[in-house]
Amino acid sequence: MRPYALLQLVSVGAILLWLRALDRSGWRWSAALATTLAFGVFTHIGVLLLVPPMVLLTWARGGPRARAPMVALLSIAVPFAVFLAMNMAFSVTTKGAATGPSFIGDHLLDLRRLLSPQLDAWRWLFPRSATRELLPPLLGAAAGVLVARRVLAPHPSRFGTLVTLALYTFPVVVVSCFTSDAQPRYLLHVQPLTWLLAGQALEELLRVRVPAAERIAARTLALSALVIVSAHLFDGLYARFARPEVDPSYQAALTWVAARQQTGEPVLSAMTAVAWLAPVPLADVRFLAGPEGGERALRYTRPGPDDARVDYWAGVPAVASTRALCAILDAHPGAWMVADAERLGAEWAFAGSFAKVILGSSELVYVGTDGGRVYRSHPRAAWTPSALAACEG
């Protein structure tokens, strides 16, 4: 359901169209570039991270052929303005309240991060392989080789190298310096450039013209790096197929509930996008947002009909306070709740009174292999003292 795979495709396509527009006269390729960027804005605003280095490199390239690509790049301001206007009109924000330009993810922007930048989002792009710790320093060394051999010294591939370095490093720096709680998926659209960067450095090391002893050393380093990169790719792919589930998924749990739920019984799910796809009547689904004032209740709900809070994904009613959770479980003994161990114990999700009510008012009736757990609520008389205290608190 997330747009990051499509964002990656759009980003790579935009880069290729931009390079083609720089090399060809006329407006055809630039028009295709502008269209692709506009589509990218409504896919994920991460595509904007590619535009500043593209603009700078287009300006540096100069010449009459640069005019059309520059116009195409700057035209992204139009779809972005429409995007912001639409989000403001529908009060779409994850800050808790829309005050000015807003969109999902606006809570991540944090200028204070500049004082303590974190590269974790970039480093975490290389998990699930035995060589994951070697990739970040290897790529740093590759960038150093390219700067020393192609950027600082005249080289026929200088502009192509600048393209790779700029389009790769700028998004990494922005995400590291200006976002809080950065996740590796925010850089997934520039991940293909990782291998282009490594390939260009390997090519340079293999072609270096130095005395025999130094040439052997350079080629040994290049081949060692190639082995590390290849091991990472194959090991990572194997890990992906061996364990495809990364985060908890509720598909199995909700399918299990659908086979047993009676019409009208509420199904309270911590993730509603999956409920929308599962065979559970959407009219019975409620979003387990979390306690009032909590991160999930603030970020992942929006005003619905009659100003009642609904979730972003399926538009179903949100249970956005402990009091509301107690009320629905009290009114509907036998209600189904679908959650996972991570959210039940996490401060950003349900930890505290909300989790006490879920666990103390129900019994665990199903544990899925994908991490989803199903709880069936009891009548109020059978609730634990901790659940009753949380409801009365």
Side-chain angles (χ1 to χ4, degrees):
M1 296 298 289
R2 292 185 184 247
Y4 295 101
L6 181 58
L7 172 65
Q8 189 178 81
L9 176 63
V10 170
S11 299
V12 172
I15 293 171
L16 294 175
L17 289 170
W18 168 63
L19 292 173
R20 183 60 63 90
L22 283 175
D23 289 335
R24 302 291 178 89
S25 58
W27 289 85
R28 184 178 62 173
W29 293 103
S30 295
L33 170 61
T35 303
T36 302
L37 289 175
F39 181 77
V41 168
F42 291 96
T43 301
H44 193 288
I45 61 169
V47 74
L48 294 172
L49 295 176
L50 297 173
V51 175
M54 282 180 170
V55 169
L56 183 61
L57 289 167
T58 302
W59 173 80
R61 185 72 173 266
R65 290 183 179 177
R67 187 179 304 123
M70 182 67 80
V71 172
L73 292 171
L74 296 179
S75 71
I76 198 174
V78 176
F80 183 58
V82 174
F83 168 80
L84 289 179
M86 291 175 62
N87 280 272
M88 292 173 65
F90 291 100
S91 300
V92 176
T93 178
T94 46
K95 288 180 180 177
T99 54
S102 61
F103 49 88
I104 292 179
D106 51 9
H107 69 282
L108 295 170
L109 300 178
D110 186 1
L111 297 180
R112 295 171 298 179
R113 176 61 68 183
L114 183 61
L115 301 177
S116 56
Q118 296 283 344
L119 286 172
D120 288 345
W122 175 63
R123 290 177 51 248
W124 292 339
L125 282 171
F126 311 101
R128 303 170 74 118
S129 81
T131 59
R132 60 186 179 275
E133 298 298 335
L134 297 176
L135 264 297
L138 175 64
L139 291 169
V145 168
L146 292 176
V147 170
R149 299 285 305 177
R150 293 189 177 183
V151 177
L152 299 180
H155 195 283
S157 300
R158 183 180 184 183
F159 184 76
T161 301
L162 286 172
V163 167
T164 305
L165 289 171
L167 295 184
Y168 187 67
T169 57
F170 183 80
V172 172
V173 169
V174 170
V175 169
S176 300
C177 294
F178 297 103
T179 61
S180 61
D181 191 28
Q183 300 293 327
R185 61 180 178 268
Y186 305 150
L187 292 171
L188 191 63
H189 59 305
V190 298
Q191 181 73 331
L193 297 175
T194 301
W195 317 118
L196 187 59
L197 176 74
Q200 289 178 344
L202 290 172
E203 178 189 33
E204 191 60 33
L205 287 174
L206 291 173
R207 290 184 175 183
V208 65
R209 295 180 179 179
V210 292
E214 297 179 17
R215 185 165 62 251
I216 292 174
R219 291 181 178 176
T220 300
L221 287 173
L223 292 174
S224 299
L226 182 60
V227 170
I228 292 172
V229 170
S230 301
H232 168 74
L233 290 173
F234 284 105
D235 195 21
L237 282 172
Y238 172 77
R240 174 64 67 188
F241 283 107
R243 181 176 171 267
E245 296 292 346
V246 179
D247 294 318
S249 174
Y250 295 178
Q251 185 68 33
L254 284 165
T255 301
W256 187 89
V257 170
R260 293 159 178 81
Q261 178 224 11
Q262 300 298 314
T263 302
E265 291 180 342
V267 178
L268 286 63
S269 176
M271 290 195 290
T272 53
V274 183
W276 186 77
L277 293 171
V280 177
L282 200 60
D284 296 333
V285 176
R286 304 291 184 271
F287 174 44
L288 276 176
E292 187 175 6
E295 291 185 23
R296 283 168 54 87
L298 289 172
R299 294 176 182 171
Y300 304 133
T301 65
R302 57 181 173 83
D306 302 323
D307 290 328
R309 305 300 293 184
V310 299
D311 82 302
Y312 269 127
W313 300 276
V316 301
V319 181
S321 69
T322 302
R323 185 178 299 275
L325 176 63
C326 296
I328 193 171
L329 295 180
D330 189 17
H332 298 277
W336 306 88
M337 292 178 285
V338 184
D340 58 85
E342 179 183 355
R343 285 172 174 79
L344 287 169
E347 293 292 335
W348 54 266
F350 301 151
S353 62
F354 208 82
K356 288 179 181 178
V357 173
I358 292 175
L359 298 175
S361 67
S362 64
E363 65 175 311
L364 179 64
V365 293
Y366 175 82
V367 178
T369 56
D370 54 7
R373 298 185 175 196
V374 179
Y375 297 85
R376 189 85 188 271
S377 68
H378 297 303
R380 190 181 184 94
W383 292 8
T384 64
S386 63
L388 293 170
C391 288
E392 295 168 0

